[in-house]
Amino acid sequence: MIKHKLWYLLTAFVFFSITAGAQNPFITNQFTADPTARVFNGRVYVYPSHDIPCGPGRGRIGWFCMEDYHVFSSANLTDWTDHGVIVTQNKVPWVKPDSYSMWAPDCIYRNGKYYFYFPTTPKDTTVIKGFTIGVAVADKPTGPFVPQPLPIKGVRGIDPNVLIDKDGQAYLYWSQGEIYGAKLKENMLELASEPKTLGELPTKGLKEGPYVFERKGTYYLTYPHVENKTERLEYATSTSPLGPFKVQGVIMDESPTGCWTNHHSLLEFKNQWYLFYHHNDLSPNFDKNRSVRIDSLSFAPDGSIRKVQPTLRGVGLTDAKQKIQLDRYSRLSNSGASIAFLDTANTFKGWKTVLTNSQAWVQYNEVAFGKQALKTVTMRATAGAGATVQIRTAGAAGPVLAQVVVPKGGQWQEVKAPLSAFKPGTHTLVVSSKTNTPVEIDWVRFE
C-alpha cells in the first residue's frame, strides 16, 4: 500500500503544471469522456474517463480503450489544470491489469475523505462476470487515491454515480441494461440496501450513465438514452431518490455528426448551472476517442430543464491577453468562413479559422480586456497572396480595434498591429476579412 501511495504522489506532482484552455472542448492535451464535475472547497473538479488509441496488445482495436483516470480543476471554468493520473488499471488489486476498461467514474466528499468510484473488469471472472465497481479513497480531491482491495459487493455494472441526500443518506446509482440504485452505508464502501431497478424509464433503446441530483425538493435522474440511432441526454423526476421517476424530456439532442455516445453531469457553480458532456471534436472520424465540453444550463419556472444547445465557445471569460482561439466561435458568417484542423495528423494542435473573401467573418463572445489600456494585437496567420483583417467589437456597428495586414507567403506568421481604440471591460469580438484573398488565422492576442 505504501508503494501505491508513493506512485500516486509522484504522478500527481509531475502533471500538476499542465494546463488546458477555456473553450469546447476544454481539455485538449488528451482524449477525455464521461465528465463528472464536482465543487470542492469553491473549486470545480472534473473526473472524466481517459480515452486512448487502442493498438496491438492494448485493448480491443476499434472499441473504447481506457487504462487510467486523470482529474482536472478550475477556479473559473476557463483555466484548467491537469493534476495527472489518480487511478490506473495495473495499480488496483482486484482489477484485470490489461483490461483497458476504466470507464465512466464519479467522486464524492464525505467526513473528511474523497471517494472515487470507478467501473472496470475484475481479475477473477469466476466470481464476477462483466463489469463491477470499485472505490479509491483520498484525503484531497486530487489524491493520492488508495484503491480498496475489493470492489463493492453486490454491484454489477458501469457508470457509478453517488448522491448524498439532505438527510445524510448516500445512494449509489449505476447501469447495466437498466439503471439501478441502492443506499450506501456510512462508510461509503458497502451497499446498505438491495439494488432497485429504476423501471419507470423508457423500455426501448439503451439507457446508461445515470447522474442524479436534487433541486428544490425534486430529484432529477438524468441519463443517456438511444431513442433513435445515437445517445441523447434525457431526464426524469421524482420526490424520492429511488423513485418512482416520471420521464420529463430531453436535455440535449443526438449529436448532429453521429457521435454514438454522450455522458454527462450537471453542476451549480456560483449561482449558474452547467452541463458537462462529451463529443468527438478531436477525433471526428472515430467516436471512441472523445473530448469533454461545458455549456450553460437553465431551468424553467416549473422546474423543467431547458434543452441545451451545444456550442464551440463553451463558457467562461477569455482573457484578451491570452491566445484567443477564434475557431471556438460564437457565430460564423454563412459563406466564406470555415474551421479546419491545423494539422490533420495531430489534431491536438487544434483548429484554425479560414476566411476566403471580404464577406467572411467570425464572432467570439466574452473577451475580458480588463481596465489597463492595451496597445497592440498579435495575430498568428497565413495568407498566400496576402490579406487584410479587421478586428472590431460589439458587432457591425462596433468600433474598429485594429487592422492587421498579413504579408503574402505560405508560412505561419505572428503579425503585430497597433490598436486604434480601447475600451475597458468585457466585449464581443468580430474578426473579418477586408480582401478577397484567403487568410487562415490560428489565434489573436492583445498586449
Side-chain angles (χ1 to χ4, degrees), residues 159 175 177-179 200-210 221-236 247-255 259-264:
D159 302 339
S175 60
E178 302 289 345
I179 293 178
E200 303 84 14
L201 306 178
T203 56
K204 172 194 170 186
L206 176 68
K207 302 177 295 295
E208 56 180 356
L221 167 59
T222 65
Y223 53 93
H225 173 222
V226 181
E227 173 68 21
N228 297 304
K229 293 183 178 179
T230 64
E231 290 185 339
R232 68 186 190 187
L233 301 181
E234 302 177 2
Y235 76 104
V247 174
Q248 299 291 354
V250 176
I251 302 172
M252 179 175 282
D253 287 327
E254 296 179 356
S255 161
C259 182
W260 189 80
T261 65
N262 202 349
H263 190 113
H264 67 295

Side-chain angles (χ1 to χ4, degrees), residues 372-401:
Q372 186 175 354
L374 302 177
K375 298 179 180 179
T376 62
V377 63
T378 300
M379 175 181 291
R380 185 173 189 261
T382 180
T388 300
V389 177
Q390 186 181 87
I391 304 174
R392 64 179 188 271
T393 63
V400 175
L401 295 183

Side-chain angles (χ1 to χ4, degrees), residues 166 212-221 235-241 245 248 302-303:
K166 299 184 296 294
V212 179
F213 66 96
E214 182 271 336
R215 177 182 179 270
K216 296 183 178 180
T218 297
Y219 295 87
Y220 292 77
L221 167 59
Y235 76 104
T237 59
S238 177
T239 57
S240 167
F245 286 92
Q248 299 291 354
D302 64 359

Side-chain angles (χ1 to χ4, degrees), residues 421-439:
F422 174 81
K423 186 178 180 181
T426 299
H427 304 291
T428 292
L429 287 187
V430 176
V431 178
S432 58
S433 174
K434 307 313 292 180
T435 49
N436 283 311
T437 52
V439 58

Side-chain angles (χ1 to χ4, degrees), residues 111-163:
N111 297 333
K113 299 287 185 180
Y114 295 86
Y115 295 87
F116 180 76
Y117 297 81
F118 59 97
T120 191
T121 308
K123 286 179 184 176
D124 189 353
T125 56
T126 62
V127 177
I128 302 171
K129 294 187 183 299
F131 281 74
T132 187
I133 292 169
V135 191
V137 185
D139 295 325
K140 297 179 180 179
T142 55
F145 282 89
V146 179
Q148 295 297 295
L150 295 171
I152 302 173
K153 186 177 180 180
V155 176
R156 289 184 58 195
I158 60 173
D159 302 339
N161 166 242
V162 176
L163 167 73

Side-chain angles (χ1 to χ4, degrees), residues 184-395:
L184 279 170
K185 290 184 179 179
E186 181 76 16
N187 65 13
M188 304 297 285
L189 305 175
E190 301 171 88
L191 296 187
S193 68
E194 289 296 315
K196 177 183 179 182
T197 303
L198 306 183
E200 303 84 14
L201 306 178
T203 56
K204 172 194 170 186
L206 176 68
K207 302 177 295 295
E208 56 180 356
Y211 187 84
V212 179
F213 66 96
E214 182 271 336
R215 177 182 179 270
K216 296 183 178 180
T218 297
Y219 295 87
Y220 292 77
L221 167 59
T222 65
Y223 53 93
H225 173 222
V226 181
E227 173 68 21
N228 297 304
K229 293 183 178 179
T230 64
E231 290 185 339
R232 68 186 190 187
L233 301 181
E234 302 177 2
Y235 76 104
T237 59
S238 177
T239 57
S240 167
L242 294 176
F245 286 92
K246 181 181 179 181
V247 174
Q248 299 291 354
V250 176
I251 302 172
M252 179 175 282
D253 287 327
E254 296 179 356
S255 161
T257 60
C259 182
W260 189 80
T261 65
N262 202 349
H263 190 113
H264 67 295
S265 58
L266 289 88
L267 177 77
E268 186 179 21
F269 182 60
K270 297 182 179 179
N271 299 314
Q272 170 64 51
W273 282 85
Y274 298 95
L275 177 69
F276 290 72
Y277 62 105
H278 71 231
H279 193 58
N280 61 321
D281 298 83
L282 290 168
S283 179
N285 298 318
F286 183 59
D287 64 358
K288 308 301 185 292
N289 290 160
R290 294 134 326 156
S291 299
V292 290
R293 290 177 163 200
I294 320 171
D295 275 302
S296 298
L297 176 142
S298 64
F299 294 81
D302 64 359
S304 59
I305 300 175
R306 295 189 175 101
K307 188 181 290 187
V308 175
Q309 298 297 326
T311 75
L312 295 176
R313 175 60 185 89
V315 301
L317 297 178
T318 299
D319 188 338
K321 297 186 288 296
Q322 303 295 322
K323 293 176 182 177
I324 302 167
Q325 306 290 343
L326 298 173
D327 48 74
R328 307 295 86 191
Y329 61 86
S330 303
R331 293 177 61 205
L332 200 66
S333 60
N334 290 330
S335 62
S338 62
I339 305 300
F341 282 111
L342 287 164
D343 183 352
T344 55
N346 182 4
T347 58
F348 289 117
K349 288 184 178 180
W351 297 267
K352 60 187 176 184
T353 304
V354 182
L355 306 177
T356 59
N357 58 50
S358 60
Q359 305 303 309
W361 54 266
V362 60
Q363 177 179 313
Y364 188 101
N365 294 354
E366 302 292 309
V367 177
F369 281 82
K371 297 179 180 180
Q372 186 175 354
L374 302 177
K375 298 179 180 179
T376 62
V377 63
T378 300
M379 175 181 291
R380 185 173 189 261
T382 180
T388 300
V389 177
Q390 186 181 87
I391 304 174
R392 64 179 188 271
T393 63

